Amino acid sequence: MNHRSIRKYTNQQVTEEQLNTIIEAGQMASTSSNVQAYSVIAVSDPDQKRALSALAGNQAYIEECSVFLVWCADLYRLKQVSEVHMEEQPSYVDSTENFIVATVDAALAAQNAAIAAESMGLGIVYIGGVRNQIAEFADQLKLPDLVYPLFGMCVGYPDQEPGIRPRLPRSGVLHKGTYNVKQTLEAAANYDKVYTEYMRVRSGDKPAAAWSQFMSKRLAEPVRLHMKDFLQGKGFMKR
């Protein structure tokens, strides 16, 4: 309930013991059929963080954080360990369903890890910018086929105390029995008012746009349209 994104960090470093605990907590997240279809690349070398930051939109906090975790959906491991047992059976490792399983597995593990980090007094921020130049990013990390970087996560000791961003009303996301269209739209309209006020205060009393306006701008932008070709080139979603 106290989560907020941290984009400024002190020089205090995350210890190897803390990192191991964070990853182990992530590993205890639910995983579909125990496939555990994800891997994590931990980057702490300043030069490597700088190179990755440049590919992810020059976000300074990637360089400033103690350790940058890249969460990857990983079907490569499953393909390799299963092939010896399959003989002449066809493999559906490249199916869209398995792509979804790996993506969800990585996201669930990452959120467990984020909560573990916050329980230690650390702060995190997710970085979707790893997908800006995803082919180059994957090359930097030497990712094989059937592995793709889903998002990054900066981890470190916070050097700021940002406010907690308000979320949609519970009625906007919780439906009973069936999806309630009227309820979800009413909740979104109410959220527009709350969000506008939050942004006005945050910006020092400057005029602020509503949440729905931000979302319309986002949907009007052709963002990362290279993803489908990249993923299929990496061996995902072939069927």
Side-chain angles (χ1 to χ4, degrees):
M1 298 296 284
N2 290 311
H3 169 72
R4 73 282 312 274
S5 294
I6 299 298
R7 295 181 173 86
K8 191 174 181 181
Y9 300 90
T10 71
N11 292 326
Q12 185 175 354
Q13 298 300 298
V14 174
T15 68
E16 192 71 14
E17 182 180 6
Q18 287 175 313
L19 175 60
N20 290 341
T21 299
I22 289 167
I23 298 304
E24 288 167 8
Q27 287 185 269
M28 293 310 295
S30 296
T31 166
S32 179
S33 300
N34 200 34
V35 296
Q36 303 173 75
Y38 59 90
S39 290
V40 191
I41 313 294
V43 181
S44 55
D45 177 76
D47 290 336
Q48 190 180 9
K49 286 194 294 182
R50 190 175 302 112
L52 295 177
S53 175
L55 292 172
N58 292 306
Q59 300 181 68
Y61 22 96
I62 295 177
E63 297 183 57
E64 295 168 359
C65 70
S66 177
V67 60
F68 183 55
L69 303 180
V70 183
W71 293 86
C72 302
D74 183 356
L75 293 175
Y76 171 82
R77 179 170 55 242
L78 292 179
K79 181 176 186 292
Q80 296 302 312
V81 302
S82 63
E83 279 182 342
V84 67
H85 303 290
M86 298 188 70
E87 300 179 350
E88 301 301 318
Q89 291 178 279
S91 172
Y92 294 93
V93 68
D94 58 0
S95 72
T96 298
E97 169 63 12
N98 281 323
F99 166 77
I100 293 171
V101 164
T103 300
V104 172
D105 260 20
L108 292 175
Q111 187 60 14
N112 248 34
I115 295 171
E118 290 174 341
S119 77
M120 300 176 191
L122 301 170
I124 69 101
V125 63
Y126 285 100
I127 306 294
V130 305
R131 302 189 301 276
N132 287 356
Q133 300 180 69
I134 194 168
E136 294 83 354
F137 204 95
D139 287 344
Q140 281 276 344
L141 298 177
K142 296 183 167 55
L143 302 184
D145 283 352
L146 292 173
V147 180
Y148 86 95
L150 183 57
F151 44 70
M153 180 191 288
C154 296
V155 184
Y157 282 89
D159 194 25
Q160 60 177 181
E161 293 186 15
I164 297 176
R165 189 185 296 263
R167 301 303 202 216
L168 283 160
R170 184 178 63 253
S171 61
V173 297
L174 177 62
H175 302 266
K176 302 287 182 68
T178 60
Y179 193 99
N180 188 320
V181 172
K182 180 182 178 183
Q183 174 183 307
T184 201
L185 295 180
E186 287 178 349
N190 290 332
Y191 184 57
D192 265 352
K193 300 172 186 175
V194 173
Y195 189 84
T196 301
E197 178 62 14
Y198 165 79
M199 292 302 294
R200 184 191 65 77
V201 172
R202 177 174 168 173
S203 64
D205 219 26
K206 295 179 181 177
W211 174 74
S212 59
Q213 290 174 288
F214 280 112
M215 294 303 103
S216 64
K217 181 180 178 182
R218 176 177 173 78
L219 292 182
E221 295 176 353
V223 177
R224 300 173 189 144
L225 297 185
H226 55 264
M227 284 299 301
K228 182 179 179 181
D229 288 342
F230 170 80
L231 290 169
Q232 290 183 333
K234 271 288 191 181
F236 293 100
M237 295 190 300
K238 291 297 182 74
R239 51 188 131 180

